[in-house]
Amino acid sequence: MSAAHASAARLPSSAMFGALAGVVLFFLVFDPRLLDPGYWIWLMEGDPATQYLGWRFFRAEPWHWPPGMIRSYGLEVGSAIVFTDSIPIAAFVAKLLSPLLPETFQYFGLWALLCFALQGWFGGMLADLATERRLERYAITLLFTASLPVMDRAIGHFALMSHWLVLWGLWLALRPNRELSTGPWAAVACIASLVHAYLLYLVLALWVADVLRRRHFDPQPRPSFGDWVRHVIVVSLALVATMALAGYFLLPAHAVTGGAQYYGKYATNLNAFWNPGWGSRFLPGLAVMKGAELEGHAYLGLGMLALLPVALLSMIAPGSARPNLRPYVPLIAIGAFLWMLAVSHQVAWGDRVVLEVPLRGKLLDTVATLRASGRLAWVALYGLWFAAVAIVAARFAPRAATVLIVGAVALQLVDISPRYVAMRDYFADRFIATPARRASPLVSPFWPEAAKHYRTIRMAPVANMARGWEWLSLYAVDHGMAINTGQFARLSFPRVDAANRAITATLKDGPLDRSTLYLLWAPYAKFDWTIGPDDGVGVFDGYFVVAPGWFAEPRGSIAPEYLVRGPRRGIAP
């Protein structure tokens, strides 16, 4: 067995070291209360809210076909667990185990811990490919473990903390093995589709690079054409089947675009690799376009910025051996292509656009699927890190290589340490201190009484993220009700328009559904409403409420004066 195959067959100590380092890093940055499955209030704001609520509605419903479908969260607006960013793979596992789990259960803190551990694990696997020297491996493992983009996503994009999927794909694409790895590629692609679509894009790009390498760029012997076709078919079928079961195809194709008006807004800046934004101990933050501060962040770190020129000079210095880059051409090309997509058609240097590539029509709509295009720079970021350390490890004498790599990683960690300290304080405030003061704005005694009668809440107008959607959705799921709002990564606007036409006609001309509570919430959208003699209208906690059949039965402690009885007509809110 070759040394390369022997290295790949054993379990590297650097991977285990990385997993441990990731766990330690998690507890240095985050409060352990986030791991408490019963501590959910920290999630009730913005993006974390829809992830938690998506899981809550998914758990509360019986299984549907496809299994990823959610009917009660969003109704006409909603679709599937993959579009609530609720980490579908975790949601599926938790729902299967639901009878064994406590009534209140959140897995997002546990997922964040798992991401830090797996980031370290696959960082250690890459370190094992980069060098044979143990100290260098441990240093390289720390480099990948302490990835700023992973920590930055903990602001609320918990699925996007799963950069270990990118490292896994990068490891598969960099291995010296000459055979096609059908099983591992099918696994990483399917898992990525059950975590987040953007990570799936990156994994598929790395898979394409690997397929091209093994068939056309590796030394002989290479896989046969038949083996290559079988590999592509198996991975593709496994992925399509997984996506279908998860509910990706419940939305029409036109709904997949992220919106042409957004493509370029969340892009990578030309200065991204050397722009720390903030939190660098040594380098100042540089200007970027508004909106790209997070999504376009791809700072290499001062340690890697120092090591990359050293690696480059070692390859082009007079008398140096010519490197064999041929096996890596597909990966380099894919990384460059993803970086160009990350920059977008609105090429920005600093806080101004210096070049706008003319994209129009269907081409722009297709590319706009990658709305937050800056995320695509992550492959280039990790690829450059690996290239820097692997080239130095291979082209310098052992002692010199160790000094350079360990010194560069140490410089890297010192450089980014202020950002980690600042983010630790930020997370303590956002996830612990602020939630302690958080409470539902639905304080009227009307709401618990209404939950005894109504099974559905319909907001008018129908919209993604109607005002107060977080607490109304929590109220709905806590009481076994469906609701027609929420926050969704993608939705069908024609379906929203049709739902608005239907609710407008129902409020004006009837008939009102006796099991549905209607809430008019937007001052800019006036609705004609008509109620019968048993129906009521009123205003509770800022919502104009139409309550069909409210007076058809006694209401116990809730006096009739909480609502005005029909028959009546009016315009509201």
Side-chain angles (χ1 to χ4, degrees):
M1 182 180 292
S2 68
H5 281 74
S7 175
R10 61 183 172 78
L11 187 63
S13 61
S14 55
M16 293 180 282
F17 168 76
L20 178 61
V23 171
V24 171
L25 184 59
F26 174 89
F27 285 107
L28 287 175
V29 176
F30 299 97
D31 192 292
R33 277 174 282 186
L34 303 189
L35 302 178
D36 179 1
Y39 179 56
W40 56 269
I41 192 68
W42 67 288
L43 298 163
M44 283 302 296
E45 181 186 31
D47 290 335
T50 195
Q51 295 158 32
Y52 173 63
L53 292 166
W55 149 242
R56 286 288 309 276
F57 278 96
F58 183 64
R59 180 187 186 182
E61 291 188 11
W63 289 101
H64 302 295
W65 189 261
M69 177 186 289
I70 304 178
R71 289 180 175 170
S72 57
Y73 185 42
L75 297 175
E76 299 87 354
V77 178
S79 52
I81 191 70
V82 294
F83 297 112
T84 63
D85 290 347
S86 302
I87 315 173
I89 191 170
F92 280 122
V93 172
K95 184 167 181 173
L96 287 169
L97 298 175
S98 186
L100 306 176
L101 299 178
E103 182 178 353
T104 301
F105 184 82
Q106 63 86 15
Y107 49 73
F108 298 94
L110 293 168
W111 184 264
L113 173 61
L114 180 66
C115 286
F116 271 86
L118 289 176
Q119 180 77 10
W121 175 274
F122 285 103
M125 297 294 286
L126 285 168
D128 185 59
L129 290 181
T131 179
E132 297 180 350
R133 293 178 285 274
R134 181 168 296 183
L135 183 57
E136 293 174 15
R137 284 179 180 169
Y138 290 162
I140 296 167
T141 300
L142 288 177
L143 168 69
F144 284 99
T145 304
S147 167
L148 280 181
V150 173
M151 184 194 64
D152 285 347
R153 291 295 148 180
I155 63 170
H157 301 161
F158 305 114
L160 286 172
M161 293 178 69
S162 309
H163 284 216
W164 53 271
L165 288 163
V166 180
L167 300 190
W168 186 0
L170 195 60
W171 177 73
L172 288 173
L174 286 167
R175 289 190 307 166
N177 308 45
R178 296 183 187 178
E179 68 273 7
L180 295 163
S181 301
T182 304
W185 275 116
V188 68
C190 292
I191 293 172
S193 73
L194 294 176
V195 176
H196 200 283
Y198 276 93
L199 296 171
L200 175 61
Y201 300 148
L202 300 182
V203 165
L204 288 179
L206 291 168
W207 175 53
V208 170
D210 186 64
V211 166
L212 293 174
R213 171 186 175 173
R214 307 306 173 187
R215 174 61 183 159
H216 299 290
F217 290 86
D218 268 350
Q220 296 288 357
R222 299 173 188 156
S224 68
F225 179 75
D227 290 339
W228 182 80
V229 170
R230 280 190 292 271
H231 169 81
V232 172
I233 290 175
V234 169
V235 174
S236 299
L237 288 177
L239 175 60
V240 170
T242 301
M243 294 176 70
L245 292 172
Y248 273 90
F249 308 129
L250 289 173
L251 281 181
H254 66 76
V256 177
T257 180
Q261 68 272 27
Y262 295 109
Y263 183 62
K265 182 177 181 180
Y266 308 111
T268 295
N269 204 282
L270 291 178
N271 66 22
F273 285 150
W274 56 87
N275 182 6
W278 64 273
S280 167
R281 189 174 294 276
F282 304 108
L283 299 182
L286 304 176
V288 297
M289 299 293 292
K290 186 177 180 180
E293 298 88 351
L294 174 64
E295 299 296 357
H297 189 251
Y299 178 49
L300 288 170
L302 186 57
M304 292 301 100
L305 287 172
L307 196 63
L308 275 167
V310 175
L312 179 61
L313 288 172
S314 72
M315 293 194 297
I316 64 176
S320 60
R322 183 179 179 183
N324 177 24
L325 298 178
R326 179 177 171 81
Y328 308 107
V329 168
L331 186 57
I332 294 170
I334 286 293
F337 176 68
L338 289 173
W339 179 82
M340 287 189 291
L341 287 176
V343 170
S344 86
H345 65 311
Q346 297 181 4
V347 182
W349 176 272
D351 56 0
R352 60 193 181 92
V353 174
V354 295
L355 175 66
E356 184 164 358
V357 179
L359 291 181
R360 300 289 185 271
K362 289 187 176 181
L363 178 58
L364 179 57
D365 285 339
T366 300
V367 179
T369 302
L370 311 168
R371 177 170 58 194
S373 63
R375 299 169 183 175
L376 304 184
W378 294 337
V379 167
L381 173 78
Y382 291 127
L384 287 171
W385 282 5
F386 182 85
V389 295
I391 291 169
V392 168
R395 301 184 74 85
F396 283 83
R399 183 170 296 180
T402 300
V403 169
L404 286 169
I405 291 173
V406 173
V409 173
L411 177 61
Q412 181 96 349
L413 297 179
V414 171
D415 178 43
I416 64 176
S417 60
R419 191 175 182 113
Y420 268 92
V421 173
M423 292 300 286
R424 180 187 62 191
D425 295 338
Y426 170 79
F427 292 138
D429 178 71
R430 179 169 182 178
F431 295 153
I432 304 298
T434 299
R437 303 185 297 269
R438 189 174 292 156
S440 172
L442 305 178
V443 296
S444 169
F446 166 78
W447 302 108
E449 183 66 21
K452 299 175 183 177
H453 177 71
Y454 300 105
R455 302 270 51 87
T456 301
I457 298 173
R458 289 195 176 275
M459 311 287 287
V462 181
N464 196 29
M465 296 188 291
R467 177 171 57 84
W469 64 269
E470 304 100 319
W471 295 100
L472 285 168
S473 297
L474 182 67
Y475 164 74
V477 74
D478 280 345
H479 292 91
M481 305 165 76
I483 191 168
N484 70 340
T485 190
Q487 181 179 344
F488 305 95
R490 297 291 187 273
L491 70 162
S492 170
F493 290 104
R495 291 182 183 177
V496 174
D497 293 340
N500 269 312
R501 289 193 296 270
I503 200 169
T504 299
T506 297
L507 288 169
K508 182 179 180 181
D509 301 319
L512 298 174
D513 182 356
R514 285 291 186 101
S515 66
T516 296
L517 193 65
Y518 299 88
L519 304 186
L520 283 59
W521 61 273
Y524 62 84
K526 303 295 184 180
F527 288 86
D528 293 317
W529 53 266
T530 302
I531 60 172
D534 289 332
D535 306 330
V537 294
V539 177
F540 303 100
D541 300 320
Y543 296 98
F544 185 90
V545 176
V546 178
W550 180 265
F551 294 95
E553 59 185 73
R555 291 294 169 185
S557 61
I558 303 298
E561 57 264 25
Y562 273 87
L563 290 135
V564 177
R565 189 168 190 165
R568 289 176 179 268
R569 289 179 177 272
I571 300 176

